[in-house]
Amino acid sequence: MKLLTLILLLPILLAVPSCSTSGGNAGNANVQPAPKPASATTVHQTIVVAAGKTFDGGGRAYKAGKKLGDGSQAEGQDPVFLLEPGATLKNVVIAKPAADGVHVKAAAGKTTRVLNCIWTDVGEDALTVMAGNNQSKVLVDSCRFYHADDKVVQVNATAWTTLQNCEAADFGRFARSNGAHGSTDPLAYRIDIEGGQFKDGDTILKMSSPNAQGTVQGIRTTNIKTPIAADNGAKITVSP
Ligand code: ADA
Ligand code: CA
Ligand code: CA
């Protein structure tokens, strides 16, 4: 390169931000602002999306009625949506109060999907994988989650769960395999986080049972305290 070209290019080269590879960080997060829906349909009884069916909210907002829960940290609240194996939920905004968000069931040979959904203020948690085994899959793609006092995605079953190109801001743990039984839990949880942007949170992925496996790849983060937490022999692989 000629000296003159280098001198002309120098300001551009210097302006490119540097990337850190710690915690799988492929650059700074640029999380979109949360939408502010003008109105939301109150759901008094959990909306069940039957096996293999699709519920397309068309961008409309839904919130929990009192019977489902208040969206606090109290356990045992009901979800706004329940997906049966192979169902798809898309283009839905879950507004406050969000109770226990969305429950997902998977079954062998089926993929259950949550696509392009937004939680404006996560309730007890946002999305729970309730059932499934290592032959079943759950895919959460291009979803956004804001303001979770504690957990966002809670995985209580061994369905292979992929969280792809999601965004979260202001949260405790973004994804967590069930920690209730700790070192004695034999379940082989599997969570893969691929791409996405995360800011102002404690941890991206926490797993704490011996057979739990996770991967985190190609995410962008800003202000995450402890990106990964793997206890009791759980294995989490991180790559930039
Ligand atoms: C707590 C509890 C888990 C599970 C989870 C949930 O973390 O320890 O067993 O119930 O809440 O799904 O909300
Ligand atoms: Ca909980
Ligand atoms: Ca919950």
Side-chain angles (χ1 to χ4, degrees):
M1 192 186 299
K2 282 191 185 135
L3 188 60
L4 181 64
T5 321
L6 184 63
I7 290 167
L8 289 172
L9 276 176
L10 211 54
I12 297 166
L13 293 173
L14 290 175
V16 174
S18 65
C19 292
S20 148
T21 52
S22 68
N25 193 352
N28 291 332
N30 183 18
V31 176
Q32 299 166 67
K36 293 193 176 98
S39 63
T41 301
T42 303
V43 176
H44 297 288
Q45 192 176 3
T46 300
I47 299 170
V48 177
V49 187
K53 299 280 192 242
T54 294
F55 184 103
D56 184 343
R60 283 182 298 276
Y62 298 82
K63 65 180 180 183
K66 281 205 178 68
K67 238 176 79 189
L68 300 186
D70 60 4
S72 71
Q73 284 300 291
E75 296 290 347
Q77 297 177 53
D78 287 327
V80 181
F81 289 93
L82 169 65
L83 310 193
E84 289 183 343
T88 296
L89 181 70
K90 61 197 243 193
N91 304 321
V92 161
V93 176
I94 315 255
K96 187 180 179 175
D100 213 43
V102 174
H103 286 186
V104 177
K105 290 183 176 171
K110 298 253 160 73
T111 301
T112 311
R113 293 179 173 82
V114 181
L115 312 175
N116 200 35
C117 292
I118 302 172
W119 283 251
T120 62
D121 191 322
V122 171
E124 199 280 311
D125 48 36
L127 186 148
T128 310
V129 177
M130 306 292 290
N133 55 29
N134 59 8
Q135 307 291 304
S136 48
K137 291 183 180 173
V138 173
L139 174 65
V140 180
D141 191 357
S142 304
C143 291
R144 287 152 57 192
F145 307 87
Y146 301 89
H147 310 303
D149 288 350
D150 185 11
K151 287 168 276 187
V152 175
V153 175
Q154 167 85 31
V155 176
N156 293 342
T158 56
W160 174 6
T161 302
T162 302
L163 310 171
Q164 194 172 287
N165 296 327
C166 290
E167 295 184 14
D170 183 26
F171 57 92
R173 275 141 289 277
F174 175 66
R176 170 76 162 116
S177 59
N178 199 343
H181 310 291
S183 62
T184 60
D185 190 339
L187 293 183
Y189 302 103
R190 178 165 176 183
I191 302 176
D192 292 334
I193 298 177
E194 295 169 3
Q197 315 212 39
F198 303 89
K199 73 167 190 181
D200 304 331
D202 291 337
T203 297
I204 303 291
L205 177 57
K206 178 166 180 169
M207 306 185 96
S208 45
S209 37
N211 299 313
Q213 281 187 53
T215 64
V216 177
Q217 195 185 0
I219 62 169
R220 298 160 74 94
T221 62
T222 298
N223 190 29
I224 304 296
K225 287 187 192 132
T226 311
I228 302 306
D231 307 324
N232 300 323
K235 284 190 188 60
I236 299 180
T237 312
V238 176
S239 41

